[in-house]
Amino acid sequence: MKAAVFELARPETLDDALALLADADGDARVLAGGQSLVPMLHMRLVQPSLVIDLERVTGLSGVSVDDDVIHIGAMTRYTDLERNADIASHVPLISTAVHCVGDRQVRNRGTIGGSLAQADPVGEMPLTCLALGVDVVARSATGTRTIPIDDFLVGAYTTDLDDDELIEAVRIPDRK
């Protein structure tokens, strides 16, 4: 099956992406790596009128450690998590879980934020993040909020993200 017709937006800034999301009035989906969303589009499980591709948006990827918290940008790809020394040192469970994610092609495209946003029940990252007790940093055009993973994951394919929000980052308490 092929996806229903939708408009594709490729913003270059986070503010532009958030404005598009706000203007879509609940009829948009955010494309991060696409490993969960693209099959859902093709099966017509979701049929948004707008897909907002975050590929060109800067500042949404990377890993940093400060004040006993590990910050992972939402657009950080699995392959980058796999190779990151801070992740291996501070949260080895993520390093282990990433090796179970699909194949090399999936790990080269898939992102931690995309996986969490889709809340796919067969995905490794939602369960891993639940076990680690992460906080999800959600952002909209009107502000930012931090959501404990227990509250963020509502059910299969369902999160606590509002229609005008996207995942900006994941924060993990450093238990090292």
Side-chain angles (χ1 to χ4, degrees):
M1 182 173 269
K2 297 207 183 237
V5 175
F6 59 82
E7 181 182 344
L8 178 66
R10 300 188 79 203
E12 296 194 12
T13 69
L14 181 56
D15 286 342
D16 289 345
L18 294 171
L20 287 164
L21 201 52
D23 291 345
D25 203 27
D27 196 19
R29 293 300 288 255
V30 173
L31 176 67
Q35 302 309 299
S36 295
L37 180 59
V38 170
M40 291 172 73
L41 289 166
H42 283 285
M43 290 184 283
R44 297 190 179 200
L45 297 173
V46 294
Q47 297 183 41
S49 62
L50 175 65
V51 173
I52 302 167
D53 182 356
L54 298 180
E55 178 70 27
R56 296 180 179 174
V57 176
T58 59
L60 289 177
S61 64
V63 175
S64 64
V65 180
D66 55 275
D67 297 328
D68 296 326
V69 176
I70 297 98
H71 299 267
I72 304 173
M75 288 292 290
T76 305
R77 298 191 188 285
Y78 293 129
T79 194
D80 296 326
L81 293 173
E82 202 171 26
R83 298 175 181 155
N84 188 282
D86 285 330
I87 293 296
S89 173
H90 294 273
V91 278
L93 179 58
I94 289 181
S95 296
T96 301
V98 165
H99 289 289
C100 299
V101 173
D103 56 21
R104 177 57 52 206
Q105 291 84 357
V106 169
R107 292 193 297 274
N108 283 339
R109 294 289 312 153
T111 65
I112 191 167
S115 179
L116 291 177
Q118 296 307 321
D120 189 333
V122 299
E124 288 81 6
M125 281 303 115
L127 179 60
T128 301
C129 288
L130 192 60
L132 291 169
V134 310
D135 288 327
V136 176
V137 179
R139 185 155 169 197
S140 71
T142 59
T144 302
R145 68 184 175 122
T146 301
I147 311 164
I149 193 73
D150 291 341
D151 297 330
F152 179 80
L153 295 172
V154 175
Y157 305 105
T158 308
T159 69
D160 187 44
L161 279 177
D162 290 334
D163 289 337
D164 65 341
E165 291 179 313
L166 56 78
I167 298 173
E168 183 175 34
V170 174
R171 293 184 355 196
I172 307 166
D174 187 0
R175 297 184 179 97
K176 185 175 173 187

